[in-house]
Amino acid sequence: MEERSAWRLEGKGRPLTVHTLNELLLVCSLVLLVAVAAVRISSRSGLPSLLIYLGIGIAIGQDGIGNVVFDNAELTQVIGYAALVVILAEGGLGTKWKQIKPALPAAIVLSLVGVAISVGVTAAGAHYLVGLDWRQALLIGAVVSSTDAAAVFSVLRKVPLPARITGVLEAESGFNDAPVVILVVAFASVGPVDQWYVLLGKIALELAIGVAIGLSVGFMGAYGLRHVALPASGLYPIAVMAIAVTAYAAGAMAHGSGFLAVYLAAMVLGNAKLPHWPATRGFADGLGWIAQIGMFVLLGLLVTPHELAQDFWPAVVIGLVLTMVARPLEVFVSLLPFRLPWQEQALMSWAGLRGAVPIILATIPMVTGIEGSDRVFNIVFVLVVVYTLVQGPTLPWLARKLELGAGDEGAADLGIESAPLEKLRGHLLSFAIPDASRMHGVEVSELRLPPGASVTLVVRDAKSFVPLPSTVLRRGDELLVVATDPVRDAAEARLRAVARGGKLAGWLGTGSNGA
């Protein structure tokens, strides 16, 4: 049966042969453990984790210690697309609508007009400075025009930025994948490339279909999860991810943008106050890490390191055009109507990191068999690695120099978990008070919860008790709040407001809705 099958990866030296499913699982587990341990290195060095994972793949590959030869671009593309769906879903679930809403117009313009400028300028540089033919130049220009939120925020995690900047960067990274994919597929198709107005029509149609399907699936899924109590809390994270993936599949089958559909559906779900939300968020975060690790390790295996030397300097030149000319120009032109300060525009220009998406998209011309596709992949690979090494560690420094830190925002937001009490027509809200929360020192009566909601239990130092109205809350306390269906949202909003603004939230500038 399966125990007698073998998975063989030919190497230059000794072939690596996996005889059983158990051995295959062991190899995969070891790679995953090494990759997870590498996160520690990434967090201390300030480098995006993608470089660590790519390095693991290269080390395993044919020029590394593993001597494994892997050249299946089609398999890499399929797995990469699946991983991107998970990564976009995780990103959408973590996108806060209140933060992204004011930045939405700027992000949309940057994702459409900005992509066009970036493709044109980068392609011109690749053609005239490096000598690539126009098809290869346009392919590279399109491939590297997609930014990566995971790469950006992995190096900015220690430098809190104003909500407007993070909102624009995050929304841009979620939106610009869709038009870029359409352009890359068009440029990589066999035969003549469509006229520019045909491409614009295709982009508009696919984006419209993706928006419609993504929002529809997201709202229907959120409605269902809020009104149907599942038999086990562990089913909620699975259901949320299944709904997000359904949005991608429906969008792709309808010849729309599946990537945009999954991002929007996940964003709707992430802002719908679903039951057991912290558990769902943690589950999605774990899946996102697994997707990134698997994807980057596979990309590291696909590359042939000894072939990169000849494409190093062309990649550096094209990267200079992209980083120093195309990206600043697209930011300046796209954001001109919004009159953002030059400091914010400068940081957004430097924060256009490239990560997973460009390398995955570079496999599309390899699958279609476009002439020179191997060189396109090598140039994109080197460009992403080199400029991530340059831009990544300098982003926090630049943010501080431009004085764009968000400053002390007070308490961290509460991780409120909600469990529906279907038969009682209520909800059980549970959360722990973080160390930096302004809820510390507040009496239970000063929470001023709406009628129909009350604090029923406090757990402190591993001991539980029923609080009195005069009970003073402390850091580390775990609270259970029971709220009826009509006041559930208001109660949660009030708790978040007090966590941020203290007992006077709603009176001294902190809205009762927690904004």
Side-chain angles (χ1 to χ4, degrees):
M1 177 173 167
E2 267 187 338
E3 289 293 325
R4 302 309 306 165
S5 7
W7 293 266
R8 184 180 178 85
L9 299 174
E10 295 291 344
K12 292 189 305 180
R14 183 178 179 182
L16 173 63
T17 305
V18 183
H19 291 284
T20 66
L21 179 60
N22 292 335
E23 292 178 4
L24 179 63
L25 291 175
L26 177 61
V27 171
C28 293
S29 299
L30 290 176
V31 172
L32 187 60
L33 286 174
V34 172
V36 171
V39 177
R40 183 68 175 175
I41 301 175
S42 173
S43 63
R44 291 198 170 197
S45 64
L47 295 175
S49 54
L50 70 91
L51 296 179
I52 307 294
Y53 306 145
L54 285 174
I56 294 174
I58 293 174
I60 298 173
Q62 58 179 310
D63 287 348
I65 58 177
N67 283 332
V68 174
V69 175
F70 177 79
D71 58 0
N72 193 331
E74 186 173 1
L75 176 61
T76 304
Q77 181 183 326
V78 171
I79 295 178
Y81 270 38
L84 286 178
V85 169
V86 174
I87 293 171
L88 282 172
E90 189 273 331
L93 291 174
T95 299
K96 295 182 178 179
W97 174 245
K98 290 181 181 179
Q99 176 176 301
I100 203 175
K101 182 180 178 181
L104 205 55
I108 292 174
V109 175
L110 192 59
S111 302
L112 297 176
V113 177
V115 163
I117 295 173
S118 179
V119 172
V121 174
T122 307
H127 177 71
Y128 291 110
L129 298 180
V130 178
L132 298 179
D133 64 52
W134 274 113
R135 183 184 287 267
Q136 294 176 359
L138 286 170
L139 272 171
I140 290 179
V143 164
V144 299
S145 293
S146 179
T147 57
D148 191 319
V152 172
F153 292 107
S154 67
V155 297
L156 285 177
R157 59 187 176 275
K158 295 182 180 179
V159 184
L161 295 174
R164 179 165 57 183
I165 296 179
T166 57
V168 171
L169 291 175
E170 188 169 353
E172 179 202 10
S173 65
F175 294 157
N176 65 11
D177 292 345
V180 166
V181 169
I182 297 171
L183 289 175
V184 173
V185 171
F187 295 148
S189 60
V190 178
V193 179
D194 293 331
Q195 297 291 335
W196 64 270
Y197 53 85
V198 177
L199 284 177
L200 287 180
K202 287 182 177 180
I203 291 174
L205 179 60
E206 293 195 21
L207 293 180
I209 294 174
V211 169
I213 290 179
L215 294 179
S216 299
V217 172
F219 281 115
M220 287 189 296
Y223 179 85
L225 289 176
R226 285 173 63 91
H227 290 82
V228 177
L230 297 178
S233 61
L235 292 176
Y236 283 91
I238 298 174
V240 168
M241 292 303 297
I243 292 170
V245 174
T246 298
Y248 170 81
M253 292 177 65
H255 302 288
S257 173
F259 290 124
L260 183 57
V262 66
Y263 182 77
L264 290 177
M267 186 169 66
V268 171
L269 292 169
N271 289 271
K273 302 185 187 304
L274 299 178
H276 304 289
W277 179 244
T280 300
R281 190 72 188 91
F283 178 79
D285 188 53
L287 280 184
W289 277 108
I290 292 176
Q292 288 190 61
I293 292 171
M295 179 174 56
F296 287 127
V297 170
L298 196 62
L299 289 171
L301 275 173
L302 183 64
V303 74
T304 306
H306 69 265
E307 295 179 357
L308 298 178
Q310 60 184 352
D311 294 316
F312 179 82
W313 289 112
V316 171
V317 172
I318 295 173
L320 279 174
V321 174
L322 172 66
T323 306
M324 307 306 295
V325 182
R327 176 66 181 180
L329 184 62
E330 71 168 294
V331 170
F332 174 76
V333 174
S334 301
L335 302 183
L336 191 60
F338 304 96
R339 299 183 179 181
L340 298 182
W342 70 267
Q343 294 94 333
E344 295 185 10
Q345 294 190 37
L347 185 65
M348 291 181 191
S349 299
W350 194 245
L353 289 181
R354 274 67 190 172
V357 179
I359 304 179
I360 290 295
L361 295 182
T363 64
I364 294 179
M366 297 176 69
V367 174
T368 57
I370 295 297
E371 183 180 356
S373 58
D374 289 342
R375 191 181 187 198
V376 170
F377 180 85
N378 290 339
I379 289 176
V380 171
F381 189 93
V382 173
L383 187 154
V384 169
V385 171
V386 170
Y387 284 91
T388 300
L389 281 170
V390 173
Q391 292 174 270
T394 57
L395 267 175
W397 173 84
L398 181 61
R400 289 191 292 267
K401 287 296 181 181
L402 294 175
E403 298 181 350
L404 290 176
D408 183 12
E409 297 291 342
D413 199 7
L414 293 178
I416 299 179
E417 181 163 354
S418 174
L421 304 172
E422 188 177 22
K423 294 183 179 180
L424 300 179
R425 296 183 180 180
H427 286 263
L428 183 64
L429 309 179
S430 61
F431 63 93
I433 300 178
D435 290 341
S437 177
R438 290 199 175 108
M439 193 177 286
H440 173 76
V442 175
E443 294 184 5
V444 170
S445 62
E446 293 173 330
L447 293 176
R448 293 189 286 124
L449 295 176
S454 63
V455 180
T456 58
L457 196 69
V458 174
V459 180
R460 178 180 299 167
D461 298 329
K463 296 181 179 179
S464 59
F465 60 93
V466 176
L468 299 173
S470 59
T471 299
V472 178
L473 302 177
R474 300 178 184 175
R475 301 181 183 92
D477 284 355
E478 296 180 32
L479 276 66
L480 293 180
V481 178
V482 174
T484 59
D485 278 342
V487 302
R488 182 257 193 187
D489 291 343
E492 182 173 341
R494 178 59 192 166
L495 290 170
R496 294 186 187 279
V498 176
R500 294 176 179 176
K503 66 180 71 176
L504 299 181
W507 293 346
L508 296 179
T510 304
S512 61
N513 60 355

